[in-house]
C-alpha cells in the first residue's frame, strides 16, 4: 500500500466529509486533502462525481468513490489490516448499515430545518431532530459506542453532526444536553479520539459559517 | 424461532428483491404476506423504526431495509455471489443501488403526475433515466455480463415502470430517448431469473389500473 495515491475532495463544514477524514485517520492512511469551493466546483470534482457533483469524493489511485458511507466501507475493506470500522459478525454489520442509513435518511433534513427555516417549519424540524436523536440514544443504550466497546461505522456516520450542535442550539433555541444527554455524553467520548478531534471543525467556526448561509437564504 | 422468515408483500419491488436474493442462494424461507392496513405485531416489533416491509427474520433476529438485507444474505449464505468481490467494484455497485433507491420517488411521481406539474415531474424522471441509460452504454447488465446486485435493485425500473405506464398512459421510457436502457430492459425481462422472481404482470396491471380508477373517481 506504500505507493497508494489518496485524495479527498471535501468541504470543511461537511459532516459527510468528516466521516472520511475520521476513517482515513483511524486507518492511518496518508492522503491529500483538497478543499472545494461549492460555489465554484473544481473540474476534478465534476469529473470524479459527474452524477451528483457533491463532496466528499475519495479518489484512490485515480478512481473515485462517491457517497460518504459507501466510501467509509471501501476504506475499511481496502485497508483491512488496521482498526476495523465495521463489526466482524454479519448480523452486527447489517445493523451498522441499517443505522448509518437511518442517519442519512432522517438526520440531515430535520437538522437543516433548524438553522435554515423559521416558524412552524423550524419547530417541526426541531421536533424531528430531537426524536431522531432519542431513537439513536435508544439504540446506543449503555454501550460506550454504537459499535459496542469499539468505535466504528455508526459512530463515524454520526459524530460529524456534533460539530454543528452549537449552531443548532443557537438558531433552534434548544439545549441538546437537556434533550439528549446520552447523545452528548457519547459525542464527548468520541471527541477524545484523536481521529475525531482532528477531523471536526471548531463549533464556533461552524456557527459563523451558518450565519452567512442564513443571510444568503434570507432567514437571518 | 429458527430458520428464515420474510415479512413482505407480493407486489412490492423491495420485497421481491429480497426473495430474489434468497432464491439465488437457494435458501428455504417462510413468506408472510403483510397487510399494510393492518400490520402484524411481528412486523411492528421487528421493524419498530420504520414499521415497513420487507423484514427478514433469521433465527428470530430481524433485519430491515432491502439493500441491507441483501448484503446480509450475500454474506451469510453459501451460493453464487451477489455483490462483486473487489472492494472498488463493491463500492460502485453500492453507489448505483443507492442511486436507484433515492431516485425511485422522482420516477414514481412522474408516472402519477397530472396537470401543470406533469411537465416538470417528467423532466426530473427523464434526468434519472438518462443517467441510467448512460451507465448501460457498454454493458449488458448493470452487473456487467451477468445479473448482479444493481440489477436486483433495479427491479422497479426494469419491471414495474412498464406496467404502471400501461395503466396510467404516461409514457416515460422510449427507445428513442433511452436506447441503452431499453436494450437492458429487454434482456432483463427475458432472463429466467427475472421471470421467476417477479410477480404476475397481469396481477400488477390490474392493481394499477384500479388505482388509476380510484384517482379518477377520488376527491377533486
Amino acid at each position: 500500500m506504500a505507493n497508494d495515491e489518496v485524495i479527498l475532495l471535501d468541504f470543511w463544514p461537511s459532516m459527510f466529509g468528516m466521516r472520511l477524514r475520521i476513517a482515513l485517520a483511524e486507518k492511518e492512511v496518508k492522503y491529500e486533502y483538497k478543499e472545494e469551493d461549492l460555489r465554484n466546483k473544481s473540474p476534478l470534482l465534476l469529473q470524479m462525481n459527474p452524477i451528483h457533483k457533491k463532496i466528499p469524493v475519495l479518489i484512490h489511485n485515480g478512481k473515485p468513490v462517491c457517497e460518504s458511507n459507501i466510501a467509509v466501507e471501501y476504506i475499511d475493506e481496502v485497508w483491512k489490516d488496521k482498526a476495523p470500522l465495521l463489526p466482524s459478525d454479519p448480523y452486527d454489520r447489517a445493523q451498522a448499515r441499517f443505522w448509518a442509513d437511518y442517519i442519512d435518511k432522517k438526520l440531515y433534513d430535520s437538522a437543516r430545518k433548524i438553522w435554515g427555516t423559521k416558524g412552524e417549519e423550524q419547530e417541526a424540524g426541531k421536533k424531528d431532530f430531537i426524536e431522531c436523536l432519542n431513537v439513536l440514544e435508544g439504540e446506543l443504550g449503555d454501550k460506550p459506542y454504537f459499535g459496542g466497546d469499539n468505535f466504528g461505522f455508526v459512530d463515524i456516520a454520526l459524530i460529524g453532526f456534533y460539530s454543528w450542535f452549537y449552531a443548532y442550539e443557537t438558531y433552534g433555541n434548544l439545549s441538546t444536553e437537556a434533550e439528549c444527554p446520552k447523545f452528548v455524553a457519547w459525542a464527548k467520548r468520541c471527541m477524545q479520539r484523536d481521529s475525531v478531534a482532528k477531523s471536526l471543525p471548531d463549533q464556533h467556526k461552524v456557527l459563523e459559517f451558518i450565519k452567512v448561509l442564513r443571510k444568503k437564504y434570507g432567514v437571518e | 424461532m429458527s430458520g428464515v422468515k420474510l415479512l413482505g408483500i407480493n407486489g412490492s419491488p423491495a420485497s421481491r428483491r429480497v426473495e430474489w436474493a434468497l432464491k439465488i442462494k437457494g435458501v428455504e424461507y417462510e413468506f408472510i404476506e403483510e397487510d399494510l392496513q393492518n400490520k402484524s405485531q411481528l412486523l411492528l416489533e421487528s421493524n419498530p423504526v420504520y414499521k415497513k416491509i420487507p423484514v427478514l427474520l433469521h433465527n428470530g433476529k430481524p433485519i430491515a431495509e432491502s439493500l441491507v438485507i441483501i448484503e446480509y444474505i450475500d454474506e451469510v449464505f453459501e451460493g453464487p455471489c451477489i455483490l462483486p468481490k473487489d472492494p472498488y467494484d463493491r463500492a460502485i455497485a453500492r453507489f448505483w443501488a443507492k442511486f436507484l433507491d433515492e431516485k425511485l420517488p422522482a420516477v414514481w411521481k412522474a408516472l402519477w403526475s397530472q396537470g401543470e406539474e406533469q411537465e416538470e415531474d417528467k423532466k426530473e424522471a427523464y434526468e434519472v433515466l438518462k443517467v441510467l441509460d448512460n451507465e448501460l452504454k457498454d454493458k449488458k447488465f448493470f452487473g456487467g455480463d451477468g445479473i448482479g446486485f444493481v440489477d436486483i435493485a433495479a427491479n422497479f425500473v426494469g419491471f414495474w415502470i412498464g406496467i404502471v405506464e400501461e395503466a396510467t398512459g404516461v409514457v416515460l421510457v422510449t427507445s428513442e430517448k433511452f436506447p441503452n436502457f431499453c436494450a437492458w430492459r429487454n434482456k432483463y425481462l427475458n432472463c429466467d431469473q427475472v421471470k421467476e422472481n417477479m410477480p404476475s404482470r397481469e396481477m400488477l396491471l390490474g392493481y394499477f389500473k384500479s388505482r388509476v380508477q380510484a384517482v379518477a373517481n377520488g376527491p377533486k
Side-chain angles (χ1 to χ4, degrees):
Chain A
M1 291 283 155
N3 296 323
D4 276 326
E5 185 201 53
V6 182
I7 298 172
L8 176 62
L9 305 182
D10 201 347
F11 178 50
W12 68 269
S14 162
M15 57 278 273
F16 305 104
M18 289 172 215
R19 292 170 174 173
L20 272 71
R21 289 173 227 165
I22 296 169
L24 290 165
E26 287 283 324
K27 300 285 189 179
E28 294 179 17
V29 173
K30 286 195 167 55
Y31 67 97
E32 183 188 348
Y33 179 95
K34 284 198 166 150
E35 185 74 30
E36 284 285 333
D37 175 359
L38 297 186
R39 295 157 302 179
N40 186 20
K41 293 175 181 178
S42 72
L44 183 61
L45 173 56
L46 299 176
Q47 184 199 349
M48 291 287 139
N49 192 357
I51 290 166
H52 300 301
K53 304 178 174 58
K54 283 182 174 178
I55 57 90
V57 180
L58 182 79
I59 309 173
H60 184 203
N61 296 330
K63 297 187 343 179
V65 182
C66 307
E67 296 297 308
S68 55
N69 280 334
I70 292 175
V72 172
E73 277 214 64
Y74 175 79
I75 289 166
D76 198 37
E77 289 176 16
V78 169
W79 288 278
K80 56 181 184 279
D81 297 329
K82 173 176 284 168
L85 304 177
L86 271 97
S88 50
D89 173 71
Y91 185 75
D92 295 338
R93 260 210 296 285
Q95 295 312 305
R97 288 181 182 130
F98 173 88
W99 286 107
D101 176 68
Y102 174 84
I103 291 161
D104 270 359
K105 281 189 165 85
K106 297 281 193 176
L107 208 54
Y108 183 77
D109 286 336
S110 58
R112 199 196 171 287
K113 288 193 180 139
I114 298 178
W115 59 263
T117 67
K118 290 188 284 208
E120 268 181 42
E121 211 185 338
Q122 191 194 41
E123 283 310 305
K126 272 167 73 173
K127 191 166 160 278
D128 286 342
F129 180 72
I130 298 294
E131 245 173 59
C132 250
L133 292 185
N134 290 150
V135 169
L136 289 164
E137 280 181 315
E139 171 57 19
L140 179 65
D142 293 319
K143 307 196 293 283
Y145 300 107
F146 284 91
D149 287 329
N150 299 314
F151 178 80
F153 191 56
V154 180
D155 307 281
I156 293 174
L158 187 52
I159 189 60
F161 285 88
Y162 185 61
S163 65
W164 287 54
F165 267 35
Y166 186 47
Y168 299 150
E169 291 184 345
T170 305
Y171 295 119
N173 194 29
L174 49 84
S175 162
T176 46
E177 188 111 32
E179 303 271 10
C180 18
K182 253 191 172 156
F183 181 92
V184 175
W186 161 83
K188 289 182 172 160
R189 188 177 304 125
C190 291
M191 290 299 291
Q192 289 174 357
R193 292 183 82 81
D194 230 15
S195 64
V196 176
K198 293 204 167 112
S199 302
L200 266 59
D202 176 72
Q203 294 203 23
H204 289 84
K205 209 174 159 205
V206 174
L207 182 78
E208 287 307 307
F209 166 73
I210 304 285
K211 204 171 177 176
V212 172
L213 267 192
R214 279 166 59 88
K215 281 206 178 81
K216 194 171 137 196
Y217 292 143
V219 189
E220 188 83 345
Chain B
M1 267 289 218
S2 76
V4 181
K5 280 190 176 70
L6 177 63
L7 310 181
I9 284 178
N10 212 339
S12 148
S15 178
R16 284 283 172 166
R17 285 169 172 178
V18 174
E19 288 197 269
W20 189 347
L22 288 166
K23 296 233 179 78
I24 288 175
K25 298 289 194 180
V27 177
E28 291 209 4
Y29 62 98
E30 182 192 346
F31 182 80
I32 298 175
E33 175 91 9
E34 282 285 335
D35 174 2
L36 293 185
Q37 308 305 324
N38 187 19
K39 292 175 183 177
S40 73
Q41 196 55 34
L42 184 59
L43 173 58
L44 299 175
E45 280 168 9
S46 305
N47 190 0
V49 174
Y50 297 117
K51 305 177 177 51
K52 283 183 175 182
I53 58 95
V55 179
L56 188 80
L57 287 143
H58 188 200
N59 298 329
K61 290 171 30 164
I63 303 137
E65 293 300 295
S66 62
L67 298 179
V68 173
I69 299 172
I70 294 172
E71 288 219 38
Y72 174 79
I73 289 169
D74 200 28
E75 288 176 17
V76 165
F77 298 106
E78 301 279 306
C81 281
I82 297 173
L83 271 93
K85 283 204 147 59
D86 172 73
Y88 189 76
D89 296 336
R90 288 159 74 79
I92 298 299
R94 286 173 177 142
F95 174 90
W96 284 106
K98 187 170 189 203
F99 177 86
L100 283 159
D101 264 5
E102 278 178 358
K103 300 302 182 181
L104 189 155
V107 177
W108 182 254
K109 196 170 177 230
L111 288 166
W112 293 94
S113 193
Q114 291 176 333
E116 280 174 29
E117 294 178 351
Q118 206 190 54
E119 273 322 296
E120 197 53 47
D121 290 341
K122 277 174 111 167
K123 247 175 78 188
E124 266 196 62
Y126 289 149
E127 270 169 37
V128 174
L129 291 163
K130 186 89 211 115
V131 169
L132 295 174
D133 188 72
N134 216 41
E135 176 58 17
L136 288 162
K137 210 165 36 193
D138 301 311
K139 286 167 149 175
K140 205 168 151 196
F141 294 104
F142 284 105
D145 284 332
I147 292 238
F149 183 58
V150 182
D151 300 280
I152 298 175
N155 65 348
F156 172 75
V157 296
F159 186 79
W160 264 260
I161 285 187
I163 302 172
V164 182
E165 282 177 314
E166 197 179 317
T168 61
V170 175
V171 177
L172 296 177
V173 180
T174 61
S175 51
E176 290 82 39
K177 281 201 177 85
F178 311 112
N180 306 306
F181 180 85
C182 288
W184 165 79
R185 189 168 63 170
N186 288 337
K187 288 187 224 90
Y188 190 75
L189 293 173
N190 276 309
C191 80
D192 288 337
Q193 276 198 61
V194 174
K195 285 186 192 166
E196 285 160 15
N197 285 299
M198 293 300 120
S200 141
R201 196 182 193 278
E202 292 78 54
M203 183 270 285
L204 278 184
L205 187 59
Y207 167 74
F208 286 122
K209 276 187 169 158
S210 68
R211 270 185 71 158
V212 171
Q213 204 56 48
V215 169
N217 296 340
K220 291 279 188 270

